[in-house]
Amino acid sequence: MRAFLGFVLLFISAIAFCQSPNDIWYFGENAGISFSTAPPFALTNGALNTGEGCATICDNSGQLLFYTDGMTIYNKNHQPMANGTGLFGNISSTHSAIIVPLPGSTTLYYVFTLDAFAGVHGACYTIVDMTLNSGLGDVTVKNQTILTPASEKVTVVKHSNNTDFWVIIHGWGNNSFHSYLLTASGLNATPVTTSIGTIHTGGG
């Protein structure tokens, strides 16, 4: 049993070192964790102050690019990114933001945001271009609605071609999963819709 547990811990550590874009996570009240070493270590320089959803992205070397609470995007210097305020996430949304790289690009990122409790803004996307503002990034497209009303739930799954992504958002007042394909050409705003499971109502 001890040998097995040791193997599991080594496996988890190996995964942590392989996932460079996920090396850093900022969350909560100015808190953060770096997974660049084993064991991970705490970060206390974050600009976030949120009790729920947040997202962070690093480059392939594990260096911080930006992070967000779904309302403000902070650059690697922990300052609001140019044009990065006023996003339509919500402090009370469980999945207020998720960051997805544009397939085939190392400089363009989609930030998907979700309003809370079937809020009027629903699910939106914002685009960040890291070639701008001397590498600190700039928001070039902001708050483009893709689904309303939406629940507070979003996830991303790699396409079977191992290049593109499916961005999956749950509707509100129904049992529908809406899957949007993100390719090098951008986001296909016409989803594949699957209705299964429970109806999302009430608290998000």
Side-chain angles (χ1 to χ4, degrees), residues 41-109:
F41 61 91
L43 301 170
T44 58
N45 58 349
L48 290 182
N49 186 357
T50 180
E52 297 196 47
C54 52
T56 308
I57 192 75
C58 299
D59 63 19
N60 289 330
S61 299
Q63 300 300 306
L64 177 66
L65 292 176
F66 62 91
Y67 56 102
T68 181
D69 57 4
M71 296 169 291
T72 299
I73 297 176
Y74 297 93
N75 63 31
K76 63 183 180 181
N77 293 333
H78 311 286
Q79 299 295 321
M81 183 177 286
N83 198 31
T85 60
L87 274 66
F88 286 162
N90 191 290
I91 195 171
S92 186
S93 177
T94 52
H95 293 166
S96 61
I98 194 167
I99 303 167
V100 189
L102 180 70
S105 175
T106 59
T107 59
L108 295 176
Y109 295 85

